[in-house]
Amino acid sequence: MSKTSSVQAYRAGLLYFHADPAFIERAHAWHEDGLLVVENGKVRTAGDYATLAPTLPPGTDVKDYRGKLIMPGFIDSHVHYPQTDMIASPAPGLLPWLEQYTFPTERQFADPAHGAQVAEFFLDELLRNGTTTAMVYCTVHPQSVDAFFSASEKRKLRMIAGKVMMDRHCPDFLCDTAERGAEETEALIQRWHGRSRLLYAITPRFAPTSTEAQLQLAGELARKYPDTFLQTHVSENKEECSWVKSLFPQARSYLDVYDRYGMLRPRAVYGHCIWLDESDRARMAETRAAAAICPTSNLFLGSGLFDFEQADKAGMLLSLATDVGAGTSFSMLQTMNEAYKVARLKGSYLPAMRMFYLATLGAARSLHLEESIGSFAAGREADFIVIDPQATPLLARRSANTDSLEEQLFALALLGDDRAIAATYSGGRLVHARAQG
Ligand code: GUN
Ligand code: ZN
């Protein structure tokens, strides 16, 4: 038997991005017969098999994935783990959906055992869908954050999460206070932010469920801990927008409510961003806050259609997100499928290349984590997925009939789902392998 090396190598078609294909002609690297070389959980190098194979240390195990594609793991920039069990719950719009399903479901997370059990299922589901990093809402209960981070730490995953802060317009059983919400948040930052591969997100749910005092304290924490993340919802739904207008009459816009409390900054991620105006978009771009675009959720709740063209014109940071449980799939491929149709309905066009960028390097840039994840540049964490263009009979048939990489990626985005993810690796370790059918 040959001596095993600390280096592992993976042979397949290799795709990753170094720029945004919407703005740069050749923004991707594509190696049809490629090799990804991993050492100590990090990317050592990526390139053509023929060039790199002779440079491997003797005894290196080369895993043969020929016929498949390897790319960086997907990043889901907005998802609610406590809503896993209520995905696909019908309601006529956002506000009734929150009242009827979301709040009663989130109540169960007062029980740490429940949180731990849902967190395990949720992480399994992410990995089955090729998502290696997610930016996650927990519930108002600090123990829901401990449950999520403990489960993620055990698996050595790169995850971002935070405790929901809400101190008004919610049932008593989910209500914190401005002070308690801030104290619990600060304690959780100290316990989890930067531990293992975990990062903390300050998480006021959305403007209607926070008093001015709570938004003020959330903004103060965002200044005190500038390398933490911040996440919330903005301009998702028309009724919600009118409600915010009546609650904050002094603000110029919904986004301006957050701006007034210093919550627009790098590493702040705003879910939805459908009903923003031109000044809002300019402000997002200027502050390097990012939009998480949630097409399956926005179609499901009838919230509206994200305007890719205006967002690009403003130069906003963009990423794709599932927003489960309002989102109807954990699959970033299915999320691309719906994003494509949303763009068409708004009269614009999203190439497949752009959609895969938005789910990988684009999201990493939105999170200001591009030095760690999102591509195969040397030294990046080896979070990657193996995609199978033959995963289903229909996908195999369509894949056999594609003439370009763009067509192949498009077919995967439109026809693919968890079945197309043959394997998922995190930090160079296999964390999901699809069962042989
Ligand atoms: N706005 C406030 N809370 C939520 C939530 O849980 N899901 C969605 N989609 N929008 C929200
Ligand atoms: Zn959400």
Side-chain angles (χ1 to χ4, degrees):
M1 230 174 71
S2 61
K3 180 171 134 321
T4 49
S5 151
S6 65
V7 175
Q8 298 87 40
Y10 304 87
R11 183 176 185 182
L14 223 60
L15 174 72
Y16 64 99
F17 294 88
H18 46 78
D20 186 342
F23 300 100
I24 304 278
E25 183 104 16
R26 195 157 173 90
H28 69 278
W30 166 240
H31 303 279
E32 193 164 358
D33 183 11
L35 194 70
L36 176 66
V37 185
V38 172
E39 186 171 22
N40 299 324
K42 301 256 170 82
V43 173
R44 179 164 131 150
T45 185
D48 285 331
Y49 176 79
T51 314
L52 293 179
T55 71
L56 293 174
T60 301
D61 179 33
V62 179
K63 177 89 183 152
D64 192 347
Y65 281 125
R66 270 178 291 176
K68 300 189 172 62
L69 268 72
I70 289 183
M71 65 178 72
F74 293 136
I75 300 170
D76 181 348
S77 58
H78 180 128
V79 59
H80 301 253
Y81 100 83
Q83 296 173 14
T84 301
D85 291 346
M86 52 160 285
I87 189 171
S89 291
L94 171 66
L95 301 177
W97 176 85
L98 285 172
E99 290 288 334
Q100 286 171 33
Y101 293 103
T102 314
F103 293 153
T105 302
E106 293 193 5
R107 182 180 199 173
Q108 300 173 69
F109 288 75
D111 174 7
H114 181 73
Q117 185 253 332
V118 176
E120 295 295 346
F121 181 90
F122 173 85
L123 292 175
D124 285 344
E125 195 64 18
L126 288 188
L127 299 173
R128 250 161 44 73
N129 281 281
T131 298
T132 48
T133 290
M135 186 150 176
V136 178
Y137 287 67
C138 302
T139 65
V140 75
H141 316 95
Q143 56 272 37
S144 73
V145 182
D146 291 331
F148 179 74
F149 276 143
S150 299
S152 302
E153 185 177 38
K154 250 187 347 204
R155 302 182 193 215
K156 302 191 174 73
L157 302 175
R158 168 72 69 199
M159 288 288 158
I160 309 168
K163 174 202 122 74
V164 161
M165 305 165 85
M166 52 179 168
D167 67 343
R168 65 165 169 172
H169 299 140
C170 53
D172 288 347
F173 54 78
L174 286 182
C175 220
D176 59 15
T177 64
E179 294 72 26
R180 201 173 72 239
E183 277 164 26
E184 289 174 348
T185 295
E186 189 158 24
L188 289 164
I189 291 172
Q190 282 159 5
R191 191 172 319 146
W192 292 109
H193 185 62
R195 169 164 153 185
S196 181
R197 298 176 75 202
L198 309 172
L199 297 161
Y200 195 82
I202 299 161
T203 308
R205 180 173 213 117
F206 67 154
T209 49
S210 285
T211 58
E212 306 232 5
Q214 181 157 74
L215 294 172
Q216 173 70 28
L217 290 175
E220 283 173 19
L221 285 169
R223 280 187 291 284
K224 183 167 174 188
Y225 299 97
D227 70 335
T228 59
F229 293 76
L230 186 147
Q231 60 184 346
T232 190
H233 299 84
V234 73
S235 297
E236 174 178 4
N237 164 282
K238 282 205 160 146
E239 285 90 75
E240 170 213 21
C241 292
S242 330
W243 193 18
V244 170
K245 205 170 173 151
S246 69
L247 293 170
F248 300 91
Q250 69 287 13
R252 196 202 63 79
S253 67
Y254 189 166
L255 187 75
D256 185 51
V257 174
Y258 299 125
D259 203 1
R260 284 163 169 254
Y261 294 104
M263 290 162 58
L264 292 184
R265 66 151 169 70
R267 293 196 162 182
V269 178
Y270 285 84
H272 306 286
C273 295
I274 293 170
W275 305 101
L276 299 186
D277 63 18
E278 211 175 308
S279 312
D280 292 329
R281 292 191 189 97
R283 200 61 197 130
M284 292 280 295
E286 180 180 35
T287 58
R288 308 315 284 150
I293 304 161
C294 311
T296 72
S297 164
N298 297 334
L299 293 173
F300 175 69
L301 290 175
S303 301
L305 306 173
F306 183 83
D307 196 330
F308 286 92
E309 209 163 297
Q310 291 301 322
D312 281 339
K313 213 164 113 193
M316 282 164 63
L317 286 167
L318 305 181
S319 59
L320 293 178
T322 64
D323 193 28
V324 164
T328 52
S329 172
F330 277 87
S331 168
M332 293 303 289
L333 296 172
Q334 277 309 293
T335 302
M336 294 178 199
N337 176 10
E338 301 300 286
Y340 177 80
K341 295 166 189 166
V342 166
R344 289 305 305 124
L345 283 169
K346 288 294 268 185
S348 52
Y349 184 83
L350 266 183
M353 234 9 134
R354 181 86 194 291
M355 299 197 286
F356 279 83
Y357 166 81
L358 292 174
T360 56
L361 182 63
R365 285 181 164 181
S366 284
L367 300 169
H368 303 265
L369 282 177
E370 68 271 29
E371 299 297 318
S372 304
I373 55 173
S375 84
F376 292 150
R380 299 298 179 277
E381 295 163 11
D383 291 1
F384 61 94
I385 55 179
V386 183
I387 299 198
D388 182 3
Q390 269 79 46
T392 69
L394 182 61
L395 196 49
R397 208 168 164 90
R398 181 65 185 93
S399 296
N401 200 28
T402 54
D403 290 330
S404 65
L405 178 60
E406 171 66 19
E407 274 188 25
Q408 175 64 85
L409 293 174
F410 190 73
L412 283 165
L414 274 281
L415 303 175
D417 52 31
D418 55 313
R419 293 168 296 178
I421 309 301
T424 304
Y425 288 79
S426 174
R429 289 175 318 112
L430 182 68
V431 287
H432 165 71
R434 189 189 55 195
Q436 298 297 316

